[in-house]
Amino acid sequence: MQLTETLMISALEAEAAYQTLRGDLVSAKAKRDTVLYAAWREVPDAQAVARQLPKTVTVSTVRAAVLRVAPPADFEQLALLPEYADQS
C-alpha cells in the first residue's frame, strides 16, 4: 500500500521543516554555550552570571556550558574555584 502523492508531499515538507528547526536549535544551543562561557570568563562565578540573566539560565546551565566549551587549560582554572573543586 502506497501513500497518496498529496500525503507524501505533506510528509516530506513536514520532515524538511522539522530538520531545519533541529539544525537551528543546535546552532542556537552552541551560540548560547559560547556566550555563557564568555560570561563566565568575564565573571568567573556561575551563580553571579546566572543571577544577571533571565531565569531560564540557571547556575547548572552556566556550569554545563563552561564544561562543554572550555578548552583543556581552563579545567586547571576550574579546579581552583570552590564551586567546581568538589565536582572532580
Side-chain angles (χ1 to χ4, degrees):
M1 188 172 219
Q2 297 288 325
L3 295 175
T4 64
E5 185 176 324
T6 304
L7 186 55
M8 177 63 83
I9 290 169
S10 292
L12 293 172
E13 288 172 345
E15 184 61 21
Y18 175 76
Q19 293 300 329
T20 297
L21 290 173
R22 281 187 59 180
D24 292 347
L25 180 60
V26 168
S27 296
K29 189 173 184 337
K31 182 177 180 180
R32 180 189 197 205
D33 284 351
T34 301
V35 170
L36 291 176
Y37 170 69
W40 176 82
R41 291 289 295 174
E42 190 170 294
V43 180
D45 177 351
Q47 191 170 19
V49 171
R51 194 173 32 248
Q52 296 177 58
L53 295 171
K55 295 210 181 288
T56 53
V57 178
T58 64
V59 174
S60 296
T61 306
V62 176
R63 286 180 180 158
V66 169
L67 293 173
R68 278 191 292 273
V69 176
D74 274 0
F75 286 100
E76 293 174 19
Q77 180 180 352
L78 284 172
L80 299 175
L81 296 174
E83 65 183 293
Y84 293 94
D86 58 357
Q87 295 182 10
S88 357

